[in-house]
Amino acid sequence: MLRTGYILFFVLFTCLPIVGMAQPAGDRPVYTSKWGHLYRIENNQMDLLGIFSTEAPVYVLDSSQTQYQVQVSNGDIGFINKQPLQRAMYGKRSAGEPAQYFYRGTQGSQCPHFFVQVSELRVRNAPSVSSTPIRRARLNEMVCIDYIPLYTDGWVYVGDHFHESPEFIQAKFLGSELTYDKVLKEYLKVRNKDQKQEMVLVGRLREIAWGNDEKLKQALIYWQETYQNAGFQDPKVDIDFELFLADRFQNRPTFDLLMKEVEEMRMHFDWKGMLLYDGKITDNQMKQLQMKRMEDIPDMPECGWEPLYYYKSDNNIVAFEENVNGKVVGSVYQVSFSNDIALRMGQERIDMNYEEKEFVKHFGHLISTDWIGAPHVYRISNGDAGMFIITFENGKAVRYVSMFYC
């Protein structure tokens, strides 16, 4: 997958060179053996369209004595000088591959990549501003690339390897990874001098800081002051609540102390008056709750947890597995909170009426969250093998999921 930080290479066919044979676009691509330039016109090396990396996927459209006509990943069609073309990728690079176009990071096995340098960049399903936006890329999102256009406002392909889920962004929005200190320095230069640029930079500062507890409160205060001075309110940002979260994050315990506190809370469910403890749930309890027994769990991850069967009702799932002593026991896998279904965490009863601010007040020092990508979704570690995920909508608890790592 082009979007992964490391590319795993699979042999698709036998590793044979392609010689003089047209390859219709839409077939599986072949791969260059060394980097090079894409030329706009046959045998004219002065008119460059772009530059491609080692093992870039190309579709061969035609062939001459000295050149192939090819289509590259972003859809550009041009000519490349003849070189061995391969049916497989092996994660290699060729001599002289220019790092300014195909940076591979600190590890040589990393794919050529850049980082998104603007907030909420629209990712489109075709290389055109009129095409359909399918998602928004995050600031500093790493994208793997194999071809860079050398003309103004060119597009790069950042989707899956075989173009089954195509994604495109403009190359001008890519660059080196932005660090908090670098953006802070730029922000302080324009603070109280260039309001428009100040608001752009403080937005980047806030996004980056959400991945760094130590910098978070400072960035949020700068964000708050900048927007207040501009007399502008962002309806998508509740800065007071984010500052409340940041305050709670300042007192995180060590992992061992966190696990001890989670264990001492004795988390369990109050389900229509029946108390369900993880690892102690029985078939009889499920029957009393009128849950329906099923043999397979839909969308269960393929690793980490292998339950034998499960009980289901509406959006609620309790999964059963055989533990080390040969005893079949159940664990709550997923629930939607209601008045009758609540999670007990210490003295707190979390049901559909439980307020998000109360949750952060009591458990903020135990939680982690991807606030930019998935706000109002909180994770609590379940040992070193998984996590509990609690989601809030409109300020109220709505859902619980237990997840195990692969």
Side-chain angles (χ1 to χ4, degrees):
M1 302 291 286
L2 283 176
R3 289 193 313 221
T4 58
Y6 291 83
I7 299 181
L8 299 178
F9 298 99
F10 296 86
V11 176
L12 304 174
F13 306 101
T14 58
C15 184
L16 295 174
I18 308 302
V19 287
M21 180 177 65
Q23 181 194 16
D27 290 355
R28 293 303 194 196
V30 292
Y31 306 96
T32 61
S33 57
K34 58 184 179 180
W35 72 275
H37 290 97
L38 181 70
Y39 306 108
R40 191 183 306 272
I41 301 172
E42 186 176 5
N43 295 322
N44 183 351
Q45 299 191 8
M46 301 300 294
D47 192 355
L48 299 180
L49 266 176
I51 184 169
F52 57 87
S53 67
T54 312
E55 297 191 336
V58 297
Y59 295 95
V60 177
L61 305 178
D62 204 350
S63 175
S64 69
Q65 288 266 348
T66 59
Q67 290 187 319
Y68 290 117
Q69 185 185 37
V70 300
Q71 178 177 307
V72 294
S73 60
N74 78 335
D76 282 353
I77 294 176
F79 298 85
I80 67 172
N81 292 335
K82 275 198 167 179
Q83 59 168 279
L85 300 178
Q86 305 170 144
R87 292 283 189 182
M89 299 177 73
Y90 297 99
K92 297 179 180 179
R93 68 173 93 180
S94 55
E97 183 183 73
Q100 68 267 35
Y101 295 111
F102 303 113
Y103 173 70
R104 292 181 181 265
T106 57
Q107 303 295 324
S109 59
Q110 284 182 298
C111 65
H113 60 272
F114 281 131
F115 298 85
V116 175
Q117 293 200 310
V118 297
S119 301
E120 297 188 345
L121 176 64
R122 288 183 178 89
V123 180
R124 299 182 180 274
N125 68 351
S128 166
V129 293
S130 62
S131 61
T132 303
I134 51 179
R135 68 179 183 91
R136 290 183 181 271
R138 293 176 58 173
L139 181 71
N140 265 351
E141 179 178 324
M142 190 184 89
V143 293
C144 294
I145 53 173
D146 53 64
Y147 169 79
I148 295 289
L150 297 178
Y151 51 88
T152 303
D153 293 337
W155 295 76
V156 294
Y157 180 78
V158 298
D160 68 291
H161 187 65
F162 292 122
H163 289 237
E164 293 170 349
S165 300
E167 293 187 350
F168 299 85
I169 57 179
Q170 286 184 293
K172 64 183 178 182
F173 297 122
L174 299 177
S176 59
E177 186 174 13
L178 297 174
T179 66
Y180 181 87
D181 290 339
K182 179 181 178 181
V183 176
L184 176 61
K185 185 177 181 179
E186 293 176 356
Y187 167 75
L188 293 175
K189 284 182 181 179
V190 301
R191 183 172 164 84
N192 298 322
K193 298 174 184 177
D194 183 336
Q195 186 179 90
K196 182 178 179 180
Q197 188 65 9
E198 180 181 348
M199 293 180 72
V200 169
L201 289 170
V202 83
R204 294 179 183 176
L205 208 61
R206 168 180 165 265
E207 284 197 41
I208 295 173
W210 265 108
N212 186 333
D213 286 353
E214 293 182 2
K215 308 290 188 181
L216 181 58
K217 190 169 182 180
Q218 179 192 64
L220 294 179
I221 290 173
Y222 279 140
W223 194 97
Q224 185 181 52
E225 291 174 352
T226 293
Y227 273 71
Q228 285 177 345
N229 292 340
F232 182 77
Q233 288 187 338
D234 187 336
K236 296 181 293 184
V237 176
D238 183 345
I239 195 65
D240 291 331
F241 188 77
E242 291 190 23
L243 281 165
F244 179 59
L245 269 170
D247 279 333
R248 300 295 290 132
F249 290 172
Q250 305 305 305
N251 301 309
R252 291 190 191 277
T254 64
F255 182 76
D256 289 343
L257 289 176
L258 186 152
M259 288 298 93
K260 181 180 179 182
E261 188 169 340
V262 171
E263 184 178 351
E264 290 174 348
M265 285 192 298
R266 300 191 72 225
M267 292 174 60
H268 64 279
F269 282 87
D270 181 348
W271 198 316
K272 297 182 180 179
M274 184 178 295
L275 303 185
L276 303 180
Y277 289 85
D278 185 53
K280 298 180 180 179
I281 302 172
T282 66
D283 287 279
N284 187 50
Q285 288 175 315
M286 295 298 96
K287 292 173 183 176
Q288 291 181 55
L289 291 172
Q290 298 182 327
M291 300 278 281
K292 184 178 180 181
R293 178 167 170 164
M294 312 292 285
E295 294 302 323
D296 295 304
I297 299 179
D299 302 321
M300 173 66 73
E302 294 181 359
C303 54
W305 191 18
E306 298 180 358
L308 302 177
Y309 58 90
Y310 71 104
Y311 283 89
K312 186 177 186 297
S313 68
D314 300 325
N315 296 317
N316 308 316
I317 298 174
V318 178
F320 283 76
E321 62 180 336
E322 186 174 2
N323 66 16
V324 292
N325 297 317
K327 184 179 180 181
V328 175
V329 294
S331 298
V332 175
Y333 175 65
Q334 172 183 305
V335 297
S336 294
F337 292 118
S338 67
N339 287 322
D340 295 326
I341 302 178
L343 172 64
R344 290 278 190 179
M345 297 177 62
Q347 300 300 312
E348 298 300 299
R349 185 180 189 275
I350 301 170
D351 61 13
M352 65 182 295
N353 300 305
Y354 193 81
E355 295 188 0
E356 185 174 2
K357 196 163 188 177
E358 282 296 304
F359 180 81
V360 173
K361 174 183 174 182
H362 290 283
F363 308 111
H365 62 297
L366 303 177
I367 63 178
S368 61
T369 181
D370 174 14
W371 196 257
I372 301 302
H376 311 289
V377 179
Y378 303 103
R379 303 182 296 269
I380 298 178
S381 291
N382 178 12
D384 58 1
M387 65 179 68
F388 309 111
I389 304 171
I390 300 171
T391 300
F392 287 77
E393 294 178 3
N394 300 316
K396 304 291 185 181
V398 294
R399 187 166 47 259
Y400 163 97
V401 174
S402 176
M403 191 198 81
F404 289 87
Y405 304 126
C406 290

